[in-house]
Amino acid sequence: MNLESSSLDNIKRAWEEDLDRPLSEDTWNCVLKQKPDTLQTSSSQNIGSQIQEPCSAQGSEQVVDYINLGEGVRIKRSQFDRINNTQDFNNFTSELFLVTFGRETLATHSLNGRKAPNAETSKEALPAHTVSVLIDYIQKKFSVSSSDVKAVIRTNLNNEDKLFKKRNLPEEWK
């Protein structure tokens, strides 16, 4: 590899900034295997376009494939295959967000980060870039409007919030 270690660290930090999340070592190693000499730190370059193929990370015993949903947003192929056959866009949207963010994140975040009229505080917003890519993907797959997708996301966030609060209540309150 022609790049110095400090340059790679700077590139990795720039990618993590653009993606609004840290890159796992497995994912970063996949990136290096695919295009080590053409990596750029410029955020004007679309990160997703720098990686064309699904990424495979060698684990101790298995290979994990990732599906690129667009612009650097990837999920594990096994998780994608599990939800991809879903014909209902409501269920697909809920499952895709659950796979991407996890239950706790969905329960503790909102779509835009705005304060609700009857709430004392606001929740942190989900990463805007990732949400945008997922909404675009769902729109293309099911030919639905972004407002329909956002309505499903909001319902899903509210449901996860209620379930999270219920699971974390003290026993005497249940």
Side-chain angles (χ1 to χ4, degrees):
M1 183 169 310
N2 299 345
L3 298 170
E4 295 179 25
S5 179
S6 63
S7 296
L8 288 176
D9 290 341
N10 290 338
I11 293 169
K12 184 177 179 185
R13 269 194 297 280
W15 276 45
E16 290 173 334
E17 229 173 76
D18 285 348
L19 293 172
D20 284 336
R21 64 178 172 81
L23 291 173
S24 71
E25 286 303 312
D26 287 342
T27 303
W28 182 241
N29 288 333
C30 289
V31 170
L32 294 177
K33 286 178 190 173
Q34 289 185 15
K35 299 231 178 192
D37 296 326
T38 59
L39 294 175
Q40 299 181 11
T41 56
S42 169
S43 58
S44 65
Q45 167 100 18
N46 180 350
I47 286 177
S49 69
Q50 291 190 40
I51 302 176
Q52 300 299 324
E53 301 298 321
C55 188
S56 296
Q58 287 289 345
S60 56
E61 299 175 9
Q62 64 182 355
V63 174
V64 178
D65 289 330
Y66 291 88
I67 299 292
N68 188 355
L69 299 176
E71 299 184 34
V73 177
R74 293 182 295 276
I75 63 172
K76 290 181 183 177
R77 180 182 297 276
S78 61
Q79 293 173 325
F80 181 77
D81 289 344
R82 184 177 56 81
I83 67 171
N84 193 35
N85 294 332
T86 305
Q87 298 302 314
D88 177 46
F89 100 90
N90 292 326
N91 291 340
F92 183 83
T93 301
S94 297
E95 290 295 320
L96 183 61
F97 272 74
L98 182 61
V99 164
T100 305
F101 295 109
R103 287 195 187 282
E104 187 171 344
T105 300
L106 293 176
T108 58
H109 288 69
S110 69
L111 193 54
N112 298 318
R114 285 188 234 138
K115 184 180 167 197
N118 58 352
E120 294 176 17
T121 61
S122 63
K123 292 182 180 179
E124 185 179 341
L126 290 170
H129 172 75
T130 305
V131 169
S132 174
V133 170
L134 295 178
I135 289 172
D136 288 345
Y137 184 84
I138 294 164
Q139 281 183 279
K140 289 174 187 166
K141 180 174 174 69
F142 291 98
S143 299
V144 294
S145 70
S146 65
S147 60
D148 288 341
V149 176
K150 288 177 183 178
V152 171
I153 296 167
R154 284 187 189 96
T155 300
N156 191 33
L157 292 171
N158 288 336
N159 290 341
E160 289 298 335
D161 181 46
K162 290 174 196 171
L163 288 171
F164 183 75
K165 287 176 181 173
K166 186 176 181 180
R167 274 182 259 159
N168 292 314
L169 282 175
E171 280 301 314
E172 63 270 10
W173 290 8
K174 290 184 182 178

